[in-house]
Amino acid sequence: MSIFAKQTVSKVRLLQALWIFTALFQILILLGLIDYRFIAGGRLESLEQARQHLILAITVLLGFILIIERFYQSIVTKGWTKGWLRAVIFLIGLFFILNTIGNLLAKTILETLLFTPITLISAFFCIQLASKSKKA
């Protein structure tokens, strides 16, 4: 396995771990074990709003996990990946840039301190993976 593929494996696995952690955090909120005001910048007004938000967020995160796994498999088996997949990873990176800005503007310090680094790392790695994955 090339150095490029090994670095890709590490980044993909880290992203998946971060996103699973985030999904688990959101599931704990759905279960009522963590206050819902720690998400969406502290701007949600009810538990029902939080449920709607969380179901969508968890679904999106699971989709991201599956897409990055497809990307990983492509790099490991072929040493490169298709342009459309790189474009999707790049768009996910842009999504995380916007999410980082949202986390920085959050009303709750927990969201700012805990999730800003996660979204910043996610943005950086996604954009980096998308731009360097044309050929190993």
Side-chain angles (χ1 to χ4, degrees):
M1 184 182 305
S2 71
I3 291 175
F4 170 75
K6 287 179 184 178
Q7 289 174 345
T8 299
V9 169
S10 298
K11 289 175 185 173
V12 165
R13 293 302 183 222
L14 176 63
L15 286 173
Q16 288 176 320
L18 290 173
W19 297 345
I20 288 169
F21 164 77
T22 302
L24 289 174
F25 180 83
Q26 293 172 341
I27 289 169
L28 292 174
I29 293 170
L30 275 176
L31 294 173
L33 300 173
I34 298 175
D35 191 353
Y36 71 87
R37 287 172 265 188
F38 289 121
I39 59 166
R43 292 174 175 79
L44 297 178
E45 296 179 13
S46 71
L47 186 56
E48 186 55 37
Q49 278 184 332
R51 283 190 179 117
Q52 293 171 359
H53 174 84
L54 288 168
I55 290 169
L56 177 63
I58 291 167
T59 302
V60 168
L61 279 170
L62 293 176
F64 288 175
I65 290 166
L66 294 173
I67 289 168
I68 201 84
E69 181 64 24
R70 171 78 189 257
F71 177 86
Y72 159 77
Q73 291 297 329
S74 169
I75 293 293
V76 169
T77 58
K78 299 180 207 171
W80 59 276
T81 191
K82 294 183 179 181
W84 70 268
L85 194 51
R86 287 192 348 254
V88 170
I89 299 296
F90 183 78
L91 290 174
I92 291 171
L94 293 179
F95 168 82
F96 277 111
I97 289 172
L98 294 174
N99 202 302
T100 301
I101 293 167
N103 287 337
L104 289 170
L105 299 174
K107 291 181 179 179
T108 60
I109 194 74
L110 175 71
E111 188 170 356
T112 300
L113 293 177
L114 184 61
F115 290 103
T116 298
I118 291 173
T119 57
L120 189 60
I121 290 167
S122 295
F124 179 74
F125 279 179
C126 284
I127 291 171
Q128 186 181 47
L129 287 169
S131 65
K132 291 186 176 182
S133 63
K134 197 168 190 175
K135 277 200 169 181

